[in-house]
Amino acid sequence: CNMILVSKSPPSRTSLGAVNGVAQMAASSMRAMGPTVATILFTVSKDPQFHALGGQLVWVYMVFLGLAGVYTSSKVQEGRNEVS
């Protein structure tokens, strides 16, 4: 689904490769950082010194990310012309 949006987003056909490259870089970065951040949040929330939300801080973070994704996807506009 996101690649359909990426392929329809550049203003011209000549910039399609650059937009695709940036999208792939962002996706790969998030796939690398996601498990790391989740593990750090889980570890910190279980630490007796912090004890953030009784070890459930990681779930609050994931709900926040899910809601951010819903908000972002609700801003996608339809009706854009094909790339020429």
Side-chain angles (χ1 to χ4, degrees):
C1 180
N2 62 348
M3 291 313 293
I4 293 171
L5 294 173
V6 166
S7 66
K8 293 189 179 276
S9 66
S12 69
R13 203 124 178 95
T14 58
S15 61
L16 183 60
V19 171
N20 187 29
V22 170
Q24 290 293 330
M25 181 189 66
S28 296
S29 298
M30 292 303 113
R31 286 184 189 120
M33 289 177 14
T36 305
V37 170
T39 302
I40 290 170
L41 282 175
F42 184 72
T43 303
V44 166
S45 66
K46 286 299 231 183
D47 188 0
Q49 182 180 356
F50 298 107
H51 201 61
L53 296 174
Q56 305 303 318
L57 181 62
V58 68
W59 297 112
V60 173
Y61 176 71
M62 288 187 188
V63 167
F64 172 75
L65 282 180
L67 292 174
V70 168
Y71 174 75
T72 303
S73 63
S74 72
K75 296 298 180 183
V76 174
Q77 298 176 358
E78 283 190 49
R80 185 163 176 157
N81 294 336
E82 290 292 319
V83 175
S84 55

